[in-house]
Amino acid sequence: MDKWEYKVVDFESPAIAKRDNSTSIEDCENELCIWGEQGWELVSVIPHGTKTKVFLKRQKS
């Protein structure tokens, strides 16, 4: 049976939601790419107050 580990990260809402702020969107994409290189997979994104919760998972080694 596969075993997973999980990570929950808070992003400031403007960084992930506002398309008019390209620098913040690029920063968000870069951070997601770094996590992807570390084996993390984006599972879900949920708005939470002034932030956005990002849920990631990866297989335990």
Side-chain angles (χ1 to χ4, degrees), residues 36-60:
E37 290 171 1
Q38 296 172 0
W40 292 102
E41 177 182 346
L42 180 64
V43 177
S44 185
V45 178
I46 300 173
H48 187 262
T50 61
K51 297 189 178 194
T52 300
K53 294 219 177 265
V54 176
F55 296 83
L56 304 129
K57 76 174 186 178
R58 71 177 171 189
Q59 197 164 12
K60 277 191 171 182

Side-chain angles (χ1 to χ4, degrees), residues 20-38:
D20 60 345
N21 190 344
S22 60
T23 302
S24 292
I25 293 296
E26 287 173 8
D27 290 345
C28 179
E29 289 172 347
N30 289 336
E31 194 158 350
L32 289 170
C33 286
I34 290 168
W35 289 330
E37 290 171 1
Q38 296 172 0

